[in-house]
């Protein structure tokens, strides 16, 4: 999951889907068996390839597309009422693929209305790809784009320092990026305070019913970690929003990831999917035998996956959380 990467084989979202914190290799050293697992993010090219394999073997894109087509039009139905300009803030916009889908739905809802689309994205590489995608996309004449190379925390700090009254937004979206936020309650409270009347925040992240949550809870402490990221699912987010007294709706959509190749010894596709599942570089070669055996057994259990037509389909369910402005 890391979750937070783009949903296209050639892109990444804000940086990565999810990460985990660092563990000293010596923790896994055993007599006659030296195991030194390291984070998948220590090898950028392998990370990119493992994520591409995830996309090719999952229905994540289809799941997001279904939400954009069926649910999003109703969600944005009132954000531009009686306005000459619609202001949209993309937090962790990555390479822009999902952003442009959202913008096309807003255009369809409010034809001819000017749209001010600002993007907060820490990766310069992703911003370049985003700009290239815009250049190739038609019907963007009424959209004004602006990119800010910064994290959500840096954006928040800048707004509080530079603006007496931070700008209000009609629509804010955070797609697969809350895994990289250190203080999620403070972040949600800040961005919720930026909503104009009738405005909404759309948050997409892995569902609390997914296999990811079960995998993280059971094995997270035994996998290499990265201090920048944390495990968070829609269950955690719902509790945070409840504690903050913020009104929201949650939509869960079914998604799967075909992990059949993970159970074929030496299969290249399976090895890369193992890396993505565990966020470990060369997991199949570096993980302790007992750890891999435990995870392999669990991944075939009903709480993690379903078996269908000879395939093992990991539960990759996503949650789409819509936060509303105060009345």
């Amino acid at each position: 999951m890391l979750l937070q990467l783009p949903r296209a084989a050639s892109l990444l979202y804000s940086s990565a889907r999810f990460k985990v914190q660092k563990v000293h290799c010596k923790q896994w050293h055993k007599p006659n068996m030296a195991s030194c697992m390291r984070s998948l993010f220590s090898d950028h090219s392998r990370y990119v390839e493992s994520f591409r394999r995830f996309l090719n073997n999952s229905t994540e894109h289809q799941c997001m597309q279904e939400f954009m087509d069926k649910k999003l039009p109703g969600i944005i139905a009132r954000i531009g009422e009686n306005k000459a300009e619609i202001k949209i803030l993309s937090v962790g916009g990555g390479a822009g693929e999902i952003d442009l889908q959202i913008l096309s739905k807003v255009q369809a809802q409010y034809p001819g209305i000017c749209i001010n689309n600002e993007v907060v994205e820490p990766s310069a590489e992703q911003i370049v790809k985003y700009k290239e995608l815009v250049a190739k996309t038609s019907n963007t004449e009424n959209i004004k784009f602006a990119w800010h190379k910064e994290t959500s925390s840096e954006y928040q700090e800048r707004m509080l320092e530079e603006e007496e009254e931070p700008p209000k937004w009609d629509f804010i979206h955070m797609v697969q990026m809350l895994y990289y936020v250190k203080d999620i309650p403070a972040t949600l409270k800040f961005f919720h305070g930026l909503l104009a009347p009738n405005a909404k925040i759309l948050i997409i992240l892995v569902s609390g019913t997914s296999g990811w949550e079960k995998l993280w809870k059971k094995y997270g402490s035994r996998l290499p970690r990265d201090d920048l990221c944390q495990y968070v699912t829609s269950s955690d987010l719902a509790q945070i929003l409840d504690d903050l007294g913020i009104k929201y709706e949650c939509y869960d959509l079914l998604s799967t990831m075909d992990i059949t190749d993970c159970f074929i010894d030496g299969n290249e596709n399976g090895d890369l999917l193992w890396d993505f599942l565990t966020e470990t570089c060369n997991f199949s070669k570096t993980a302790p035998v007992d750890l891999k055996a435990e995870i392999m057994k669990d991944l075939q259990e009903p709480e993690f996956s379903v078996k269908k037509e000879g395939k093992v389909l990991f539960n990759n369910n996503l949650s789409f959380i819509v936060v509303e402005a105060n009345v």
Side-chain angles (χ1 to χ4, degrees):
M1 203 264 253
L2 238 108
L3 283 166
Q4 222 205 82
L5 295 176
R7 286 5 207 180
S10 61
L11 329 164
L12 301 175
Y13 267 147
S14 38
S15 293
R17 174 106 186 238
F18 60 89
K19 300 181 182 178
V20 288
Q21 295 180 344
K22 295 178 181 175
V23 167
H24 294 298
C25 293
K26 64 182 181 181
Q27 176 179 347
W28 293 111
H29 182 76
K30 294 184 178 182
N32 303 318
M33 182 192 75
S35 175
C36 189
M37 294 192 296
R38 60 191 176 98
S39 169
L40 179 58
F41 299 94
S42 65
D43 186 332
H44 180 70
S45 61
R46 189 167 180 88
Y47 168 75
V48 171
E49 181 59 22
S50 70
F51 185 72
R52 188 181 72 83
R53 300 300 179 104
F54 160 73
L55 292 177
N56 290 343
N57 285 269
S58 77
T59 62
E60 179 143 321
H61 262 155
Q62 297 93 310
C63 177
M64 287 194 178
Q65 190 65 58
E66 180 183 352
F67 179 84
M68 298 297 173
D69 292 340
K70 296 181 179 180
K71 296 291 186 182
L72 188 60
I75 290 168
I76 62 175
R78 296 183 60 208
I79 65 170
E81 281 186 354
N82 304 317
K83 295 176 182 176
E85 179 185 63
I86 298 173
K87 298 181 65 176
I88 298 177
L89 180 64
S90 166
V91 186
E97 185 189 56
I98 299 299
D99 286 24
L100 291 183
Q101 290 188 41
I102 291 172
L103 289 168
S104 70
K105 298 300 181 184
V106 175
Q107 286 179 311
Q109 191 80 34
Y110 298 98
I113 300 295
C114 292
I115 300 173
N116 177 12
N117 184 72
E118 294 199 21
V119 182
V120 174
E121 167 55 48
S123 168
E125 180 183 359
Q126 293 301 90
I127 291 175
V128 169
K129 290 182 178 180
Y130 197 135
K131 292 179 178 179
E132 291 173 347
L133 185 60
V134 170
K136 298 174 185 177
T137 304
S138 60
N139 193 31
T140 60
E141 295 79 10
N142 69 319
I143 306 175
K144 181 174 67 174
F145 290 92
W147 290 268
H148 305 283
K149 183 183 175 298
E150 56 192 354
T151 65
S152 62
S153 298
E154 290 168 343
Y155 174 83
Q156 180 177 340
E157 291 172 5
R158 180 166 64 85
M159 288 297 103
L160 294 175
E161 291 175 0
E162 298 179 0
E163 305 286 345
E164 290 186 12
E165 184 64 34
K168 298 292 184 180
W169 300 91
D170 301 305
F171 192 62
I172 299 173
H173 54 89
M174 304 174 171
V175 178
Q176 297 282 36
M177 58 73 61
L178 281 177
Y179 316 101
Y180 316 107
V181 173
K182 288 187 177 180
D183 191 337
I184 294 176
T187 297
L188 292 175
K189 186 176 181 180
F190 171 76
F191 284 103
H192 185 252
L194 301 184
L195 293 179
N198 298 324
K200 304 283 181 69
I201 299 176
L202 172 63
I203 300 168
I204 303 178
L205 76 172
V206 293
S207 170
T209 67
S210 70
W212 293 110
E213 179 174 75
K214 299 173 181 63
L215 188 65
W216 292 343
K217 284 186 175 180
K218 187 166 184 178
Y219 295 104
S221 63
R222 299 170 65 184
L223 296 170
R225 293 178 171 255
D226 187 299
D227 293 333
L228 296 177
C229 298
Q230 59 183 309
Y231 302 130
V232 59
T233 70
S234 61
S235 297
D236 304 306
L237 195 60
Q239 184 61 60
I240 292 170
L241 291 169
D242 286 338
D243 292 342
L244 291 171
I246 294 176
K247 186 177 179 181
Y248 66 93
E249 290 186 46
C250 185
Y251 306 85
D252 265 22
L253 270 71
L254 301 180
S255 176
T256 60
M257 170 184 176
D258 185 350
I259 59 171
T260 309
D261 288 346
C262 291
F263 305 98
I264 302 174
D265 190 43
N267 183 281
E268 180 188 15
N269 189 55
D271 286 348
L272 285 160
L273 291 175
W274 268 117
D275 286 8
F276 189 77
L277 279 164
T278 62
E279 289 302 327
T280 303
C281 188
N282 290 304
F283 176 83
S284 290
K285 295 179 181 179
T286 63
V289 175
D290 58 342
L291 176 63
K292 183 177 179 180
E294 284 182 55
I295 299 179
M296 183 177 287
K297 180 177 182 298
D298 273 345
L299 288 179
Q300 298 181 75
E301 296 298 324
E303 61 181 320
F304 289 90
S305 307
V306 296
K307 294 183 179 180
K308 185 176 181 181
E309 298 176 353
K311 295 182 178 181
V312 182
L313 305 177
F314 181 74
N315 183 329
N316 185 57
N317 291 354
L318 297 178
S319 288
F320 300 76
I321 298 175
V322 180
V323 176
E324 300 183 12
N326 291 330
V327 178

